[in-house]
Amino acid sequence: MAIPIPTRQLFIDGEWREPVLKKRIPIINPTTEQIIGDIPAATAEDVELAVDAARKALARNKGRDWANASGAVRAKYLRAIAAKITEKKSEIAKLEALDCGKPLDEAAWDIDDVAGCFEYYADLAEGLDAKQNAPVSLPMETFKSHVLKEPIGVVGLITPWNYPMLMATWKVAPALAAGCAAILKPSELASVTCLELAQVCREVGLPPGVLNILTGLGHEAGAPLASHPHVDKIAFTGSTVTGSKIMAAAAQVVKPVTLELGGKSPIVIFEDVDLDKAAEWTAFGCFWTNGQICSATSRLIVHESIAAEFLDRLVKWTKNIKISDPLEEGCRLGPVVSGGQYEKVLKFIDTAKSEGASILCGGARPEHLKKGFFIQPTIISDVTTSMQIWREEVFGPVLCAKTFSTEDEAIELANDTQYGLGAAVISNDLERCDRVSKAFQAGIVWINCSQPCFTQAPWGGNKRSGFGRELGEWGIENYLTVKQITRYISDEPWGWYQSPSKL
């Protein structure tokens, strides 16, 4: 049965508003290549309205309605949002699968995580109250000092298309928990569920202007948001190229940014592993979410003594992955998000072949699917470290493989990248896993697995994968600023200058 895409407007100041220029962008279902609806296209004029609404929301009732309200007040709204999302889980998951092509089982898992993330930050919002006025120990008894944590202000949140509602929530939930007012700009390639988040906020009575949602193109809506003088911070997840532009725009007004950017993460397989367990984690680490994961462990580094047997086993696992319409039961790989992404991924595979690499499996459209942006999960061997496929992020279901002989060589290959988001090691020798984990130049390390992610644990990278950490307690700190308050408590005058009354 066809699922209708709700027709929505921009969400500004608690209301649906038509874009000032009345422009809209078609929604293309990546499974069928058909237009299934449209989203509003915000421009700089709409950004102005949203920033104004956010600033008014912070100032309303001298801040007592939101920014200066107790964390418990904000927690009540976050829990209501979580409950409403859980209630609508089935409908939202189907919209997510239609819009971005991820398998329905994955989309449902994402929506559970969305609700869990709002719940988690509701708890942290309440916890903020107890942490206020934390005393600072001073070396002079004549002074007393304490610290306040205050919301940073109006924040711009720019999010990607691979986990549309979940990546938005990673930013929205902690920003609102901290007492900020937010303007969310999701990717134009997958915005449908973010507009459903707006509907949820309306239904739970979130105060107007606290969360505004502007769909639209990056250069028309994201750029004016990033450079706006009255936006106090930008948090961005997406490509390194765009992240660099956002950082440059923010620098003009000395605006802080948090950036979660690209990756080319390694998975190192030692010779003592269970081949089937290691093969499944290797496949999952690269082909989950249709291969469109910033943290994908897309560089396989396998010990030379087991390489031939391991790759043979991995190919068997890979060929067994069910590729189908994301709404079909048991689907484990859907289409990539768009025609542009489809062409880009196939070009990476062609370039690898022309540079001398071998395609062990995949590398083309699945024969049984004549429509849609489907690409078989692909494994590429005979790779050298100078090849494009080793160095650049594909953002599609493509794994490249290289062998190693010693632990030191494995670490050197793993760190041979401009990125530093994730890294995985699989071995039965836990001391070795510990050594390798410490040697990896990455913000996230997985031992005997790949890709698990929990709201409670920090997420973020090093090098060109960005800086700052989302999730956990680190996530809320992104949206708080620290104020030192120091009081002179002695009855004695300070006595630095000679008093004029004693002259």
Side-chain angles (χ1 to χ4, degrees):
M1 189 182 79
I3 301 151
I5 302 282
T7 301
R8 303 284 190 207
Q9 300 293 351
L10 304 174
F11 186 62
I12 300 174
D13 208 16
E15 296 177 353
W16 296 117
R17 292 202 188 176
E18 190 177 25
V20 171
L21 300 187
K22 297 182 169 43
K23 288 166 54 172
R24 296 188 74 84
I25 300 167
I27 301 165
I28 296 170
N29 180 341
T31 304
T32 63
E33 303 181 39
Q34 299 298 306
I35 293 173
I36 53 172
D38 55 28
I39 54 168
T43 55
E45 294 84 349
D46 303 295
V47 171
E48 285 297 336
L49 294 172
V51 172
D52 187 52
R55 293 220 84 83
K56 283 178 178 166
L58 290 183
R60 196 179 297 122
N61 196 15
K62 295 187 176 174
R64 286 190 287 266
D65 285 9
W66 192 257
N68 301 335
S70 76
V73 168
R74 297 193 295 271
K76 184 186 74 172
Y77 288 106
L78 295 179
R79 289 202 179 96
I81 291 169
K84 187 63 75 173
I85 284 166
T86 300
E87 184 187 308
K88 296 180 176 221
K89 172 185 164 181
S90 172
E91 169 197 339
I92 294 172
K94 283 175 186 162
L95 290 172
E96 198 78 293
L98 276 178
D99 194 23
C100 74
K102 70 167 55 193
L104 183 59
D105 288 346
E106 280 191 36
W109 195 350
D110 284 2
I111 307 311
D112 284 337
D113 286 347
V114 166
C117 192
F118 276 108
E119 286 279 357
Y120 176 79
Y121 282 108
D123 291 344
L124 260 56
E126 287 178 333
L128 273 181
D129 294 340
K131 291 180 180 175
Q132 290 294 25
N133 303 314
V136 177
S137 178
L138 300 178
M140 295 177 72
E141 292 177 0
T142 49
F143 294 94
K144 266 195 173 175
S145 187
H146 67 272
V147 165
L148 284 180
K149 289 192 172 182
E150 299 177 330
I152 206 164
V154 172
V155 294
L157 314 174
I158 302 175
T159 56
W161 43 259
N162 55 340
Y163 290 83
M165 196 181 212
L166 185 57
M167 293 287 105
T169 300
W170 280 19
K171 293 175 173 31
V172 169
L176 299 193
C180 293
I183 300 155
L184 170 65
K185 208 302 278 184
S187 166
E188 68 275 11
L189 293 178
S191 295
V192 170
T193 53
C194 288
L195 292 172
E196 293 314 292
L197 176 60
Q199 178 61 21
V200 165
C201 291
R202 288 191 73 188
E203 290 176 19
V204 304
L206 187 72
V210 164
L211 177 61
N212 306 276
I213 300 178
L214 303 179
T215 54
L217 301 172
H219 66 281
E220 291 184 347
L225 181 62
S227 61
H228 200 290
H230 296 141
V231 172
D232 301 300
K233 165 155 191 169
I234 294 288
F236 170 78
T237 298
S239 74
T240 300
V241 171
T242 305
S244 180
K245 288 177 184 170
I246 285 170
M247 199 172 167
Q252 304 309 306
V253 285
V254 197
K255 180 184 307 188
V257 293
T258 302
L259 302 175
E260 202 265 76
L261 308 175
K264 192 73 183 179
S265 301
I267 182 165
V268 176
I269 312 285
F270 282 94
E271 69 277 14
D272 60 347
V273 299
D274 176 302
L275 292 180
D276 278 312
K277 283 182 188 171
E280 185 179 10
W281 277 116
T282 301
F284 184 80
C286 191
F287 303 142
W288 160 250
T289 312
N290 307 338
Q292 299 167 130
I293 331 171
C294 49
S295 59
T297 39
S298 58
R299 288 185 303 132
L300 167 62
I301 301 164
V302 58
H303 194 275
E304 61 187 12
S305 68
I306 61 164
E309 191 183 355
F310 180 76
L311 287 170
D312 182 60
R313 196 75 58 92
L314 180 60
V315 166
K316 288 185 172 75
W317 275 89
T318 301
K319 286 181 174 176
N320 200 42
I321 293 171
K322 179 174 178 178
I323 312 168
S324 70
D325 182 316
L327 298 178
E328 204 173 292
E329 191 169 346
C331 174
R332 287 295 176 264
L333 192 90
V336 296
V337 74
S338 67
Q341 193 65 16
Y342 174 80
E343 296 298 336
K344 181 182 160 196
V345 174
L346 290 178
K347 192 167 179 224
F348 266 107
I349 295 167
D350 282 346
T351 301
K353 283 192 276 194
S354 71
E355 289 182 351
S358 305
I359 311 298
L360 287 186
C361 70
R365 163 184 288 284
E367 287 177 14
H368 67 289
L369 294 162
K370 307 301 180 197
K371 272 275 180 200
F373 308 125
F374 291 93
I375 298 170
Q376 295 168 320
T378 301
I379 300 171
I380 300 177
S381 66
D382 300 320
V383 170
T384 66
T385 58
S386 62
M387 287 181 183
Q388 181 199 45
I389 198 67
W390 177 265
R391 309 215 70 81
E392 294 183 26
E393 182 177 41
V394 176
F395 226 68
V398 180
L399 177 73
C400 65
K402 191 156 177 39
T403 62
F404 72 93
S405 57
T406 66
E407 185 177 311
D408 285 347
E409 186 189 0
I411 290 164
E412 189 179 337
L413 286 168
N415 291 334
D416 178 33
T417 172
Q418 63 184 346
Y419 297 110
L421 186 51
V425 54
I426 300 188
S427 171
N428 288 326
D429 180 344
L430 293 183
E431 282 187 13
R432 174 158 61 192
C433 289
D434 189 49
R435 284 193 306 273
V436 172
S437 295
K438 287 174 179 165
F440 280 150
Q441 296 166 0
I444 304 152
V445 173
W446 297 290
I447 295 175
N448 291 334
C449 58
S450 179
Q451 305 308 312
C453 174
F454 300 95
T455 301
Q456 298 77 8
W459 184 275
N462 307 330
K463 300 197 271 189
R464 291 197 194 175
S465 290
F467 49 82
R469 293 295 179 266
E470 295 192 300
L471 300 182
E473 293 185 7
W474 301 264
I476 199 168
E477 295 293 335
N478 282 329
Y479 301 100
L480 292 167
T481 184
V482 174
K483 181 182 280 183
Q484 175 219 131
I485 298 176
T486 298
R487 180 163 61 98
Y488 184 57
I489 57 172
S490 169
D491 291 332
E492 296 298 315
W494 183 227
W496 181 255
Y497 299 108
Q498 188 173 4
S499 169
S501 61
K502 293 183 180 174
L503 290 175

